[in-house]
Amino acid sequence: MTLDDAVIARHTVKAFEPGKTLPQDKIDTLLNVLQNSPSSVNSQPWHFVVASTPEGRAAMAKSATAAFIYNEPKIVNASHVIALCIRSDLDEQHLQNVLEQEQKDGRFKDEAAKAGQDKGRRSYVAIHRYEQRDLPQWMEKQVYLALGGLLLGAAMLGIDATPMEGFDQRELDLSLGLREKGLTSVVLASLGVRSDNDFNAALPKSRLSRDEIFTFI
């Protein structure tokens, strides 16, 4: 499948075939996509909770009630559901962990390069914490970069997927014990095999024309 094929074939699945499990090698590839997602100043402010069992999906489905009940089948009938989360803060421990991992991975030619990277990253964190006062929103932007890569990767692998903001974030955080871990949920992504009842699969893709969305200078 070419990239053009994948972006045209990809659609938001409205119904999954229950009991269908995706191959582990494909899931591992998608986890690799998430792990290697880009983030501003390599801040990596995320954590991903992967539900691959009925019990795990049921725990996530607790957040799809009341106004979000329509999403409950997309969680329980999927093969895997991933909760993409952000950290409650980019604290000292996280900043040090990222820096030391970069050191282990050979990112720095010397101590000056390491110090420069650390200073630059901290300056961005400070801007969003103290000046723009939008640190959670800034972290969320990085998570959506990861989500985009996940959806495109799934399409390239022929995996059906559904991104979902329609869930009770508080309920999911409590159900998964995220707050105790210093995390909060942002968005869900269900992965699986679409059902014949997926009405969206038969609909043509609709996007605004290039003339309307591109300006070439």
Side-chain angles (χ1 to χ4, degrees), residues 90-135:
L90 288 180
D91 57 18
E92 181 64 26
Q93 180 179 351
H94 179 71
L95 293 175
Q96 285 294 333
N97 284 345
V98 171
L99 187 67
E100 292 310 313
Q101 188 62 54
E102 290 170 330
Q103 175 81 46
K104 292 176 184 177
D105 291 335
R107 296 278 297 173
F108 310 123
K109 64 179 181 179
D110 52 34
E111 285 300 314
K114 179 179 180 180
Q117 174 69 8
D118 187 41
K119 181 180 179 180
R121 182 158 44 236
R122 289 174 184 273
S123 71
Y124 270 84
V125 173
I127 287 170
H128 289 284
R129 175 180 286 135
Y130 299 116
E131 298 173 25
Q132 297 188 14
R133 296 187 295 279
D134 65 345
L135 187 61

Side-chain angles (χ1 to χ4, degrees), residues 35-56:
Q35 184 178 6
N36 288 282
S37 296
S39 61
S40 179
V41 292
N42 201 29
S43 54
Q44 304 174 64
W46 46 51
H47 188 85
F48 309 108
V49 180
V50 183
S52 60
T53 65
E55 295 78 13

Side-chain angles (χ1 to χ4, degrees), residues 22-194:
L22 295 171
Q24 187 59 45
D25 63 325
K26 291 190 175 183
I27 293 298
D28 289 339
T29 295
L30 293 180
L31 298 184
N32 189 44
V33 169
L34 288 174
Q35 184 178 6
N36 288 282
S37 296
S39 61
S40 179
V41 292
N42 201 29
S43 54
Q44 304 174 64
W46 46 51
H47 188 85
F48 309 108
V49 180
V50 183
S52 60
T53 65
E55 295 78 13
R57 293 190 295 271
M60 289 193 178
K62 291 180 180 179
S63 66
T65 58
F68 308 116
I69 192 64
Y70 61 92
N71 276 332
E72 191 263 354
K74 300 169 195 167
I75 297 173
V76 297
N77 291 335
S79 171
H80 291 66
V81 184
I82 302 177
L84 292 85
C85 309
I86 58 170
R87 304 178 63 84
S88 57
D89 188 20
L90 288 180
D91 57 18
E92 181 64 26
Q93 180 179 351
H94 179 71
L95 293 175
Q96 285 294 333
N97 284 345
V98 171
L99 187 67
E100 292 310 313
Q101 188 62 54
E102 290 170 330
Q103 175 81 46
K104 292 176 184 177
D105 291 335
R107 296 278 297 173
F108 310 123
K109 64 179 181 179
D110 52 34
E111 285 300 314
K114 179 179 180 180
Q117 174 69 8
D118 187 41
K119 181 180 179 180
R121 182 158 44 236
R122 289 174 184 273
S123 71
Y124 270 84
V125 173
I127 287 170
H128 289 284
R129 175 180 286 135
Y130 299 116
E131 298 173 25
Q132 297 188 14
R133 296 187 295 279
D134 65 345
L135 187 61
Q137 291 77 21
W138 183 60
M139 290 192 286
E140 282 187 359
K141 292 176 182 178
Q142 318 315 313
V143 166
Y144 277 94
L145 289 176
L147 176 65
L150 175 66
L151 295 177
L152 181 57
M156 289 293 293
L157 294 174
I159 291 176
D160 298 309
T162 301
M164 288 176 283
E165 292 181 319
F167 64 95
D168 186 326
Q169 291 182 324
R170 179 179 184 277
E171 183 59 43
L172 186 64
D173 290 357
L174 296 177
S175 178
L176 301 182
L178 296 179
R179 293 186 177 184
E180 294 84 350
K181 300 174 183 176
L183 303 168
T184 184
S185 56
V186 175
V187 63
L188 296 176
S190 289
L191 308 167
V193 178
R194 69 175 181 85

